[in-house]
Short mmCIF file of all heavy atoms in Angstrom, two decimals:
data_model
loop_
_atom_site.label_atom_id
_atom_site.label_comp_id
_atom_site.label_asym_id
_atom_site.label_seq_id
_atom_site.Cartn_x
_atom_site.Cartn_y
_atom_site.Cartn_z
N TYR A 277 27.01 -103.35 116.05
CA TYR A 277 26.26 -102.49 116.82
C TYR A 277 24.73 -102.42 116.32
O TYR A 277 23.84 -102.55 117.15
CB TYR A 277 26.67 -101.05 116.78
CG TYR A 277 25.85 -100.04 117.53
CD1 TYR A 277 25.35 -100.34 118.70
CD2 TYR A 277 25.42 -98.77 116.95
CE1 TYR A 277 24.59 -99.37 119.44
CE2 TYR A 277 24.71 -97.89 117.49
CZ TYR A 277 24.26 -98.12 118.81
OH TYR A 277 23.46 -97.36 119.54
N TYR A 278 24.64 -102.50 115.01
CA TYR A 278 23.09 -102.51 114.50
C TYR A 278 22.34 -103.80 114.95
O TYR A 278 21.19 -103.88 114.88
CB TYR A 278 22.99 -102.20 112.95
CG TYR A 278 23.67 -103.39 112.17
CD1 TYR A 278 22.87 -104.50 111.77
CD2 TYR A 278 25.04 -103.32 111.71
CE1 TYR A 278 23.37 -105.50 111.13
CE2 TYR A 278 25.59 -104.41 110.96
CZ TYR A 278 24.73 -105.46 110.57
OH TYR A 278 25.26 -106.41 109.83
N VAL A 279 23.17 -104.91 115.23
CA VAL A 279 22.55 -106.14 115.69
C VAL A 279 22.40 -106.01 117.15
O VAL A 279 21.32 -106.41 117.86
CB VAL A 279 23.43 -107.41 115.34
CG1 VAL A 279 22.82 -108.53 115.93
CG2 VAL A 279 23.44 -107.43 113.93
N PHE A 280 23.41 -105.62 117.83
CA PHE A 280 23.46 -105.72 119.41
C PHE A 280 22.32 -104.70 120.01
O PHE A 280 21.58 -105.13 120.86
CB PHE A 280 24.82 -105.25 119.88
CG PHE A 280 24.88 -105.13 121.39
CD1 PHE A 280 24.87 -106.29 122.14
CD2 PHE A 280 24.81 -104.04 122.04
CE1 PHE A 280 25.00 -106.28 123.56
CE2 PHE A 280 24.99 -103.91 123.34
CZ PHE A 280 25.04 -105.05 124.16
N ARG A 281 22.32 -103.51 119.43
CA ARG A 281 21.49 -102.51 120.11
C ARG A 281 19.89 -102.90 120.16
O ARG A 281 19.39 -102.85 121.15
CB ARG A 281 21.67 -101.19 119.45
CG ARG A 281 20.62 -100.06 119.93
CD ARG A 281 21.06 -98.78 119.36
NE ARG A 281 19.85 -97.92 119.48
CZ ARG A 281 19.89 -96.58 119.13
NH1 ARG A 281 20.96 -96.16 118.52
NH2 ARG A 281 18.86 -95.81 119.26
N PRO A 282 19.36 -103.26 119.02
CA PRO A 282 17.95 -103.80 119.07
C PRO A 282 17.56 -104.88 120.09
O PRO A 282 16.66 -105.03 120.65
CB PRO A 282 17.76 -104.10 117.61
CG PRO A 282 18.62 -103.31 116.75
CD PRO A 282 19.87 -103.37 117.59
N LEU A 283 18.62 -105.87 120.03
CA LEU A 283 18.47 -106.96 120.83
C LEU A 283 18.46 -106.59 122.33
O LEU A 283 17.62 -106.96 123.21
CB LEU A 283 19.72 -108.07 120.80
CG LEU A 283 19.64 -108.73 119.32
CD1 LEU A 283 20.89 -109.50 119.18
CD2 LEU A 283 18.49 -109.62 119.34
N TYR A 284 19.41 -105.60 122.62
CA TYR A 284 19.47 -105.16 124.08
C TYR A 284 18.26 -104.38 124.41
O TYR A 284 17.75 -104.59 125.59
CB TYR A 284 20.63 -104.24 124.26
CG TYR A 284 20.63 -103.45 125.57
CD1 TYR A 284 21.03 -104.08 126.77
CD2 TYR A 284 20.25 -102.15 125.53
CE1 TYR A 284 20.97 -103.39 127.89
CE2 TYR A 284 20.17 -101.45 126.72
CZ TYR A 284 20.51 -102.10 127.87
OH TYR A 284 20.48 -101.39 129.06
N GLU A 285 17.65 -103.51 123.57
CA GLU A 285 16.65 -102.72 123.97
C GLU A 285 15.36 -103.44 124.00
O GLU A 285 14.33 -102.82 124.44
CB GLU A 285 16.57 -101.51 122.99
CG GLU A 285 17.81 -100.44 123.18
CD GLU A 285 17.87 -99.27 122.33
OE1 GLU A 285 16.81 -99.13 121.57
OE2 GLU A 285 18.58 -98.43 122.53
N ARG A 286 15.32 -104.62 123.55
CA ARG A 286 14.08 -105.38 123.74
C ARG A 286 14.10 -106.22 125.02
O ARG A 286 13.11 -106.92 125.49
CB ARG A 286 13.91 -106.42 122.55
CG ARG A 286 13.44 -105.75 121.43
CD ARG A 286 12.80 -106.76 120.38
NE ARG A 286 13.73 -107.64 119.98
CZ ARG A 286 14.45 -107.45 118.77
NH1 ARG A 286 14.30 -106.48 118.00
NH2 ARG A 286 15.31 -108.44 118.24
N THR A 287 15.16 -106.19 125.79
CA THR A 287 15.38 -106.98 127.09
C THR A 287 14.62 -106.30 128.14
O THR A 287 14.47 -105.10 128.16
CB THR A 287 16.83 -107.17 127.45
OG1 THR A 287 17.36 -105.80 127.69
CG2 THR A 287 17.61 -107.78 126.29
N SER A 288 14.17 -107.22 129.20
CA SER A 288 13.58 -106.59 130.39
C SER A 288 14.53 -105.72 131.13
O SER A 288 14.24 -104.80 131.84
CB SER A 288 13.05 -107.71 131.20
OG SER A 288 14.14 -108.59 131.56
N PHE A 289 15.94 -106.12 131.03
CA PHE A 289 16.96 -105.33 131.72
C PHE A 289 16.80 -103.81 131.31
O PHE A 289 17.01 -102.96 132.10
CB PHE A 289 18.37 -105.95 131.48
CG PHE A 289 19.55 -105.14 131.97
CD1 PHE A 289 19.67 -105.19 133.36
CD2 PHE A 289 20.33 -104.39 131.17
CE1 PHE A 289 20.78 -104.46 133.94
CE2 PHE A 289 21.40 -103.70 131.59
CZ PHE A 289 21.67 -103.73 133.08
N HIS A 290 16.60 -103.67 129.99
CA HIS A 290 16.67 -102.27 129.43
C HIS A 290 15.28 -101.52 129.77
O HIS A 290 15.26 -100.44 130.33
CB HIS A 290 16.82 -102.29 127.90
CG HIS A 290 16.60 -100.87 127.33
ND1 HIS A 290 17.59 -99.85 127.34
CD2 HIS A 290 15.63 -100.44 126.60
CE1 HIS A 290 17.10 -98.93 126.68
NE2 HIS A 290 15.95 -99.16 126.18
N LYS A 291 14.20 -102.27 129.63
CA LYS A 291 12.81 -101.64 129.86
C LYS A 291 12.57 -101.37 131.35
O LYS A 291 11.91 -100.46 131.58
CB LYS A 291 11.78 -102.70 129.28
CG LYS A 291 11.87 -102.81 127.71
CD LYS A 291 10.82 -103.87 127.28
CE LYS A 291 10.82 -103.93 125.85
NZ LYS A 291 9.83 -104.99 125.32
N SER A 292 13.21 -102.17 132.15
CA SER A 292 12.88 -102.10 133.59
C SER A 292 13.30 -100.73 134.24
O SER A 292 12.71 -100.40 135.27
CB SER A 292 13.52 -103.25 134.43
OG SER A 292 14.97 -103.00 134.42
N VAL A 293 14.27 -100.07 133.62
CA VAL A 293 14.73 -98.70 134.10
C VAL A 293 13.51 -97.84 134.26
O VAL A 293 13.48 -97.11 135.29
CB VAL A 293 15.81 -98.20 133.16
CG1 VAL A 293 16.12 -96.81 133.71
CG2 VAL A 293 16.97 -99.02 133.14
N ILE A 294 12.60 -97.85 133.33
CA ILE A 294 11.39 -96.95 133.31
C ILE A 294 10.33 -97.77 133.93
O ILE A 294 9.46 -97.21 134.67
CB ILE A 294 11.10 -96.47 131.89
CG1 ILE A 294 12.34 -95.70 131.34
CG2 ILE A 294 9.85 -95.57 132.00
CD1 ILE A 294 12.87 -94.52 132.23
N GLU A 295 10.14 -98.95 133.47
CA GLU A 295 8.86 -99.86 133.91
C GLU A 295 8.89 -100.11 135.38
O GLU A 295 7.78 -100.33 135.96
CB GLU A 295 8.89 -101.05 133.18
CG GLU A 295 8.64 -100.98 131.52
CD GLU A 295 7.36 -100.06 131.34
OE1 GLU A 295 6.34 -100.43 131.90
OE2 GLU A 295 7.47 -99.27 130.35
#
Side-chain angles (χ1 to χ4, degrees):
Y277 175 48
Y278 68 84
V279 172
F280 175 77
R281 177 175 162 181
L283 290 174
Y284 167 78
E285 293 188 350
R286 285 200 294 267
T287 65
S288 59
F289 176 71
H290 174 75
K291 294 178 181 178
S292 66
V293 176
I294 303 301
E295 295 303 318

